[in-house]
Each structure stands twice: as structure tokens, then as C-alpha cells.
């Protein structure tokens, strides 16, 4: 079995996924909705076949899309859009080869000059915006030697930055979500030391890599309290906090193999019970990145279609990706958005 290197299961793995899933085919899109369109718009970080990062605003009522940003892809693509101020926040590599937070004002479809907001981080990705309070949350690496991701927040009015758990050196943030309504910050963490130990054992014994312990924690900003929700030895890649703050959806696998079976589970914080909601099927594989609708009646997610398309340019095979919606009441999956000339990477409301 090929030896596993430590760095390959951090954010760089996501970059390989982005570049590996790009499709070079004729552009096509489809949007349909019956239940979920009480949400006004869905925002999508999309990477096309020319390795351009495009931010789409998809109107879920009129079934129209709008291009908010298009730029070269240099690292993991992520963004957050302020409807109130018409400002798009995104990450971008700088001349110093670090990745920082930027903003760009959008007015009458005309791009204004981009403005850099952070300077002292080594790396920034995964953005969540509290549009009402003018606060943006981000996942960061503090310096070039840092191997633990943290969550930081910036007050967009004062530009003051706070890093959560700054001194913690063995509790890296894998994913996080923020609920503006309840002011709860959900963090999924893993032990870097345990991960390194598991990688060494896997290489030494030539056996599959075991997942380190992943822990879900909720921090309440209103009273500065922290609560540990659950722990699991599963490769958790994304999670979402329900609108009422009482449930967590998370996507996971038992293996780091890209072709391994995927699952989306629901965890009830009050009863402490986990329930499998969605798994790979004959139609969909690699189900991941659940996103609650604002009404909490279901969730959006990204998945790959269970079919293979050949890339004539690179002579490789890959699965096209799509965005779907799962309705809790009917347990049915609905189409949301699909475009063949690239891959949706992140989604947010």
C-alpha cells in the first residue's frame, strides 16, 4: 500500500479534489424547485474547466443565476456575500504566497477595486458572515509553522480580529459553521498528534489509515460558554448547525479513499442520538457539505452523479457534481443546480 504523508489530509487534499473533479464538457445548467424556494438565494463557489473561481448567486424563486466574481484559482476557493452592503468577501493568494481575506464592492454589476483585509495570517479559508452584526468568521493558520487550524473573527467596522483557542496546539479545526440567529459557533476539531500517530502506524504496518478522534464543540458568544457535543472516530469533512441550534448535520467517511462510501448523519444535541439521513446510492455518491435551509425543513448538499465522464483533454475519468436538496418531511431529494463545465465546491445562503 502506498505510504501516506501527513500533509495530504489537510486543506491541500481539498485542492487536489478541486482540480481532479473539473469537467471539460459543454456548459449546461438546470435549476428546479418545489419545497426549498422559501430561501431567496443560494451562493456557490464554483471552479470551471479553466481553473477559474466563479461565485454564483442563484435566485431560487426566479431560477436565475448571476456571476458575482471570476478570478484565477490559486488555492481552495471560498467566499461570503453581504446582501446588505453588496460586498463580496473572498480569499486570495498574495505576493507573499500566503492566503488572506479580501473584499470587493459590487455595484450595478461593475467591479470596484479589491481591498485586502487581513495581513498577518499564513492562510485563510472557510468564511461565514454575520451580515447583521458586520462580523466575518474564517478558518486560519497563524504562521508558516502552524499545523493547527483555528477559527478567527473580524469586526468589519473596526477591523479588530479575535482568534479562538489561539494557544491550543493539538485541536485543529477541520470545519466550522456559524448560526447568526443564535450566535453559536460550531467547530469540528481533530487531534494532530493522533492523526500523525495513525499515519505512522498505517505506513509501518501497511494497513488502512484509521481516523483520529473528531470532536464537535459549540461556542455561544452570548455567554462565552463552550459545550462539547460529540466525539467520533470518523473522517468528518463538513458540518452544519440547524437554525434553532438544536441539531447538527455532518458528512463523513470511514476512509480517506476518494471512492469510499459517504454518509450524512444528523445528531440531536438534546437526546445525543445520531441518525443516518443520507448515504451513497445508485444515483449519487460522495454526498457532502450539508447546508440547512433557513426554515430548517431540509438541507442542501453537494454530490457526485454516479456516472463517469471522460475528459478528452487529460484523458482521465471523473464524476460530474451537482447540488441537491433533501426534504425532511418527504425524505425526497430534489434538484437544485447543475453545471457541466466545472465543479461546485462551497455553498451558502
Amino acid at each position: 500500500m502506498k505510504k501516506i504523508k501527513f500533509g495530504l489530509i489537510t486543506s491541500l487534499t481539498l485542492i487536489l479534489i478541486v482540480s481532479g473533479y473539473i469537467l471539460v464538457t459543454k456548459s449546461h445548467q438546470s435549476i428546479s424547485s418545489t419545497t426549498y424556494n422559501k430561501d431567496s438565494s443560494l451562493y456557490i463557489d464554483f471552479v470551471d474547466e479553466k481553473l477559474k473561481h466563479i461565485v454564483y448567486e442563484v435566485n431560487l424563486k426566479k431560477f436565475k443565476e448571476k456571476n458575482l466574481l471570476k478570478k484565477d484559482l490559486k488555492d481552495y476557493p471560498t467566499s461570503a456575500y453581504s446582501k446588505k452592503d453588496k460586498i463580496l468577501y473572498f480569499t486570495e493568494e498574495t505576493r507573499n504566497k500566503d492566503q488572506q481575506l479580501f473584499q470587493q464592492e459590487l455595484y450595478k454589476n461593475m467591479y470596484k477595486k479589491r481591498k485586502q483585509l487581513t495581513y498577518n495570517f499564513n492562510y485563510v479559508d472557510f468564511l461565514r458572515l454575520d451580515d447583521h452584526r458586520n462580523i466575518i468568521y474564517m478558518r486560519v493558520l497563524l504562521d508558516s509553522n502552524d499545523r493547527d487550524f483555528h477559527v478567527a473573527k473580524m469586526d468589519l467596522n473596526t477591523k479588530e480580529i479575535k482568534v479562538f483557542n489561539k494557544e491550543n496546539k493539538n485541536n485543529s479545526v477541520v470545519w466550522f459553521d456559524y448560526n447568526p440567529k443564535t450566535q453559536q459557533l460550531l467547530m469540528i476539531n481533530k487531534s494532530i498528534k493522533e492523526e500523525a500517530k495513525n499515519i505512522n502506524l498505517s505506513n509501518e504496518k501497511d494497513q488502512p489509515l484509521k481516523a483520529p478522534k473528531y470532536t464537535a464543540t459549540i461556542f455561544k458568544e452570548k455567554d462565552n460558554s463552550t459545550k462539547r457535543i460529540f466525539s467520533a472516530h470518523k473522517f468528518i469533512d463538513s458540518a452544519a448547525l440547524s437554525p434553532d441550534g438544536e441539531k447538527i448535520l455532518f458528512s463523513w467517511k470511514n476512509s480517506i479513499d476518494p471512492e469510499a462510501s459517504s454518509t450524512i448523519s444528523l445528531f440531536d444535541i438534546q437526546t445525543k442520538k445520531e441518525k443516518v439521513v443520507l448515504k451513497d446510492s445508485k444515483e449519487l455518491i460522495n454526498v457532502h457539505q450539508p447546508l440547512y435551509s433557513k426554515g430548517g425543513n431540509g438541507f442542501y448538499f453537494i454530490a457526485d452523479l454516479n456516472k463517469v465522464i471522460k475528459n478528452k483533454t487529460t484523458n482521465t475519468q471523473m464524476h460530474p457534481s451537482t447540488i441537491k436538496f433533501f426534504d425532511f418531511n418527504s425524505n425526497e431529494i430534489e434538484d437544485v443546480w447543475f453545471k457541466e463545465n466545472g465543479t461546485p465546491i462551497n455553498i451558502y445562503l
Side-chain angles (χ1 to χ4, degrees), residues 128-279:
R128 295 289 184 270
L129 177 67
D130 187 332
D131 210 6
H132 178 71
R133 297 169 62 215
N134 283 341
I135 294 176
I136 192 165
Y137 298 79
M138 65 199 97
R139 192 177 75 148
V140 302
L141 285 176
L142 300 180
D143 56 56
S144 59
N145 296 319
D146 194 7
R147 298 173 73 179
D148 292 88
F149 282 96
H150 298 75
V151 174
K153 73 172 183 177
M154 169 183 276
D155 186 315
L156 294 168
N157 296 321
T158 65
K159 301 302 184 290
E160 181 181 355
I161 295 175
K162 175 184 177 180
V163 179
F164 296 91
N165 301 320
K166 187 175 182 180
E167 304 304 321
N168 198 324
K169 298 299 182 183
N170 187 38
N171 201 26
S172 184
V173 176
V174 176
W175 189 269
F176 79 93
D177 192 22
Y178 179 75
N179 187 328
K181 183 178 180 180
T182 61
Q183 293 183 28
Q184 291 174 301
L185 182 66
L186 167 68
M187 291 176 280
I188 305 295
N189 301 76
K190 68 179 178 182
S191 167
I192 292 295
K193 290 182 179 178
E194 184 182 358
E195 181 182 69
K197 179 181 178 181
N198 290 354
I199 290 173
N200 288 334
L201 286 174
S202 176
N203 289 334
E204 289 173 2
K205 297 184 178 182
D206 194 26
Q207 63 185 18
L209 177 67
K210 293 182 179 180
K213 183 168 67 175
Y214 285 69
T215 303
T217 304
I218 290 181
F219 174 75
K220 294 183 179 180
E221 290 204 84
K222 288 183 178 181
D223 58 8
N224 288 322
S225 65
T226 301
K227 183 178 181 181
R228 189 172 181 175
I229 306 302
F230 70 83
S231 296
H233 286 272
K234 302 174 180 178
F235 291 102
I236 301 175
D237 56 50
S238 58
L241 189 60
S242 64
D244 59 10
E246 296 180 358
K247 295 179 176 63
I248 297 172
L249 284 167
F250 63 99
S251 56
W252 58 276
K253 292 184 175 185
N254 280 322
S255 169
I256 62 169
D257 185 346
E259 299 298 323
S261 177
S262 60
T263 302
I264 293 178
S265 292
L266 184 146
F267 187 86
D268 189 303
I269 296 174
Q270 298 300 322
T271 66
K272 301 186 183 304
K273 292 183 178 180
E274 179 184 338
K275 175 185 176 182
V276 172
V277 179
L278 188 63
K279 299 184 71 173

Side-chain angles (χ1 to χ4, degrees), residues 47 56 108 123 143 204 272:
V47 177
Y56 285 110
K108 293 183 179 179
Y123 187 85
D143 56 56
E204 289 173 2
K272 301 186 183 304

Side-chain angles (χ1 to χ4, degrees), residues 37 78 83:
N37 61 5
T78 185
K83 302 177 187 178

